Structure formats: structure tokens, C-alpha cells
Amino acid sequence: MAKKRPQTKAKPQPIDGEIPVVGAREPCPCGSGRRYKACHGRAAAHAATELVQRPFEGLPGECDWVALRELVPAATAGLTLREGLPEGVPSVTLATVLPMAWPALRRDDGSVLIGLQNDTASGDISRDLADTLLRALEAEPGTPVQGRRAPADGPRLQDLLDPEGAFEPVVHSGFEFWVPDAENATPEVAASLERANAAAIPTVKLAGVDAAYWCETPEKNHLRWVMPHPEEQLLDALARLHAAGRSSLGEGTRLVGSFRAHGLTVPVWDLPSGTSAEDVEKPAAEFAERLAAALAVREPLTPDERRARGGLTNRQVTLS
């Protein structure tokens, strides 16, 4: 028979806000006698691992946030803070990737760059990025900001960014935005830029529709279009168009499936290798009109449409 655990009188426990974070297997500082992970660390661990399905929901340009996080190699976008820029910080810019995969960088002139495509320590990318942003605003000019696990009760991007601020990504052909004067960069920086540029897939943001990105690969080109509609409704609409032979973007193009990324769906089209971003602007705008009409239909899917939907569902790939 197992021995009974001796009954011990627990010490008075301070309020949660006074409990410091210690090692998971260490005694909880509250004096309960239990390990931290089984006591006051339980809520923190849960907050650190719970996945937020749509971390960018509520931000201006949610679809573009998803695209820059998952699809676009080199891009930047200016950020507008809810409380305005602190003294000594001339600008805050979101970037897909920063040198050395830094989470953030405070430049010599005080401006701040935030990297979007970094690994995050919790299940809430928005909270992790907000923590990085706050630390970057206070960092010494000329220094990078290292990653860490954000406090479970810390603010999210939705708390820090102006909800009325514009979010206008600029797609770059390379990573010259890393340094103010790329032409006069040191040999080490020039070599790093050359390696990064060589790995970047040529990408262009379409001008006529929201959050659609053309990219060029060695075998064929693609259009990847992040859409805000609920997944089930969008798949039904795509299936209606696919079954009717109206889901392509012109001769030689084909809707081949979709990605799931951060709670949104990203339909993907194969394009002939000679099809440029400019070539697909008009077909994409026309498709947007067909899609809007299909989204408004509420009748059940026909047998042909159900088969088309099944094919599209089987060709979904989850990115996050």
C-alpha cells in the first residue's frame, strides 16, 4: 500500500501577481509545497501552448499579414502605433525576415524593424510579436532584440497598433532593405545579402485585388491568394465555380488546391511559366466578381459540385 503523504500546513500564499516565474520542476514560490508547473505555473504553461487560430484577426490587412508570414520572401510594411511613435523612434517597420533571423532590430537612427517569419515561443504569434515590439522600442540604437517567451498577460499587436492605420506591404526583389546603404555594405554583409537574395523566389503583389501574390518558380508560376471568407463557405463557392469550369484564371491556368494558414484559406493556381503578374491582373479581378456571386448562393451543392469540393478539400495543405 502506498504511503500517505504527510499533511503539511501550507504557508500563506501571496496574490498571483506576486508569483515570480521559476523552473517548472522547482518548488512554487507561493509556498504550497508543490512544483511550480503543478501550481502557479499551470496557467502560464497553458497560455504559452494554447494555439490562437487567427493571431492577426482584427488587424488592418489580416490577409496580407498571413501572406507575409507564410508566403512572401522579402517584403516590408510600415506600422502605425495606437499611441504614436515614442521620442527617438522615427519609424516602425514590419519585415518578413531580418539578418541572422533576429526577432527585431533597432537601427542606429532609432528606427525599428520587426521580423515576422521567426519562430515564436507561444501559441499566440500576436502576443510574441507585441512583446518583441515593446522591447525593440526601448532597445539601444544599433542593437538587435533577442527572442523570448512573452508574458502570458502581455499585450497583443491588436492592443499596440492603430486599428485605423493602413497596412500596405511593399514586396522587394531582395533583402537590400536590411541595410541603409547596401552598395557600400561591408564584405560580410554583402555576402549575406547575396546568399539571401539567391534563395528568394521572385514574388509580386497584385494591384487589382487584395492579398494575391504571384510568384515564379523554375517549373511554373503560381498565384497564391489569401482570402478572408470562412473556410466552409469559401470551399463551397470554389466548388461551384470549379464544377462549372469557371475557376481558372485563363488559358493554361488551373486552380490546384489551397493552403490553410493562421485561420484563413489560400487558394493556389498553377500558371504557365510565361505568365507574368501583369498578365494575371485582369483575370484575377474577373475571378473576384465570379467568386462574390458564388459566395452569395445558398442552395445545397449539386452532385458535381460536391465532387469538385471533395477534390479541392483533398488538395489542402496546412501551413500553420
Side-chain angles (χ1 to χ4, degrees), residues 41-63:
R42 183 179 299 169
H46 178 71
T49 57
E50 185 177 7
L51 178 64
V52 176
Q53 297 291 339
R54 288 180 63 179
F56 308 117
E57 184 176 14
L59 292 175
E62 179 189 7
C63 293

Side-chain angles (χ1 to χ4, degrees), residues 208-231:
V209 294
D210 292 334
Y213 291 80
W214 169 95
C215 67
E216 180 182 23
T217 64
E219 295 182 357
K220 61 184 67 175
N221 299 347
H222 306 279
L223 184 72
R224 301 180 290 192
W225 192 341
V226 187
M227 296 186 173
H229 317 291
E231 180 179 7

